[in-house]
Amino acid sequence: MVSINLFDSERRVIEAAERLAASLGSDPNHTVAAAAMDTAGRIHEAVNVYHFTGGPCAELVVLGAAAAAGVGPLVTIAAAGDRGRGLIPPCGRCRQALLDLHPDVFVAVPTDDGPALRPIRRLLPDTYFYPDADARRIVRFNKRYYKDIATGRKTSTVRYEDPIAPGPAIFLFEDDEAPRTLEGTATGIERHRLDRLTAEQTRLDGFTSIDQLKKGLQGHYPGLPSDAEIEFVTFTVEAPGAVE
């Protein structure tokens, strides 16, 4: 998934990395800056440490800075080069570290149409997963669902190429401002082919017909193939209740 239409909060992460990179000057030991946003909307910044023995990239340093600040999983990360190089994608080592330690982070990359955000798993497909990373998971939702999920009225979601792991997660409601979060748990996952759905399966996420479900999915996932494998995910939130 590529998103050229970024949230303002995501643009702030990119701007923070580019601003810090522009301040590096001509120091050959620090040539790349990185910025990352946590689930509370705070932005953490760091620079690389170049050394012939293999100093860490800016993305790895910012992971350490965020951990030192006591934050949880990161939502968005961007890196930029000095001397006007602009946004740069992460190297292979950084991609693997991000996938293992922050498996739901979105990474800013340059494209012909401008900055775009991609899930880290899209930057490193068919890869090895470090089994002992014990990373905290994030499930992203559009902010319009916050009230229904917080009050327990919405307890399922349908996803395509957006895998959700069973178990506890931070439910993140994406916004232009600081994101809101809830503590939740993915309790069940069913996978079905879109072209083989039954009426009963369609009702798993509250749709009244297969056509309604397909229309909703195609609006959210442009170019969705007719034989796509989609996931129906059920979930709970901690202490659902009234929301102002």
Side-chain angles (χ1 to χ4, degrees):
M1 177 174 59
V2 178
S3 177
I4 300 298
N5 299 317
L6 307 179
F7 290 112
D8 286 346
S9 57
E10 295 167 339
R11 293 188 186 280
R12 289 198 296 272
V13 176
I14 295 171
E15 290 166 358
E18 292 178 335
R19 185 169 54 250
L20 182 55
S23 72
L24 295 179
S26 58
D27 185 346
N29 299 314
H30 308 288
T31 57
V32 176
M37 179 177 286
D38 62 33
T39 55
R42 295 168 294 193
I43 295 178
H44 308 269
E45 301 179 6
V47 300
N48 72 319
V49 182
Y50 178 80
H51 192 262
F52 73 91
T53 60
C57 296
E59 293 93 332
L60 299 184
V61 180
V62 84
L63 296 192
V71 306
L74 297 176
V75 176
T76 309
I77 189 169
D82 65 350
R83 306 185 190 188
R85 288 184 289 150
L87 194 65
I88 58 177
C91 71
R93 179 178 65 166
C94 288
R95 295 182 191 205
Q96 185 69 58
L98 287 168
L99 181 67
D100 291 331
L101 302 180
H102 298 273
D104 302 302
V105 71
F106 277 21
V107 182
V109 297
T111 76
D112 292 340
D113 298 315
L117 284 180
R118 295 178 180 168
I120 181 58
R121 61 184 172 274
R122 295 292 180 85
L123 298 184
L124 207 60
D126 302 322
T127 188
Y128 170 80
F129 287 86
Y130 177 50
D132 298 324
D134 194 30
R136 187 75 193 275
R137 300 306 301 262
I138 295 172
V139 178
R140 297 169 186 261
F141 292 95
N142 188 290
K143 64 181 180 181
R144 70 176 181 268
Y145 295 125
Y146 178 81
K147 186 174 181 179
D148 284 344
I149 292 177
T151 56
R153 290 197 294 267
K154 179 176 174 59
T155 59
S156 63
T157 183
V158 183
R159 302 297 171 105
Y160 169 64
E161 290 192 343
D162 183 15
I164 295 175
I170 295 175
F171 289 4
L172 177 78
F173 297 84
E174 297 179 295
D175 204 338
D176 289 324
E177 303 300 328
R180 288 182 289 182
T181 60
L182 293 170
E183 295 290 333
T185 301
T187 56
I189 299 174
E190 291 187 17
R191 295 177 178 86
H192 300 285
R193 269 183 49 160
L194 187 60
D195 58 354
R196 296 178 181 174
L197 286 178
T198 66
E200 181 179 358
Q201 292 163 348
T202 298
R203 289 191 289 270
L204 289 173
D205 195 35
F207 291 93
T208 58
S209 69
I210 294 176
D211 287 342
Q212 184 189 44
L213 171 60
K214 289 181 178 179
K215 184 177 180 179
L217 286 173
Q218 288 165 351
H220 191 70
Y221 301 107
L224 180 73
S226 60
D227 60 350
E229 185 176 77
I230 59 176
E231 293 185 338
F232 291 86
V233 182
T234 55
F235 56 81
T236 60
V237 294
E238 292 187 9
V243 175
E244 296 294 333

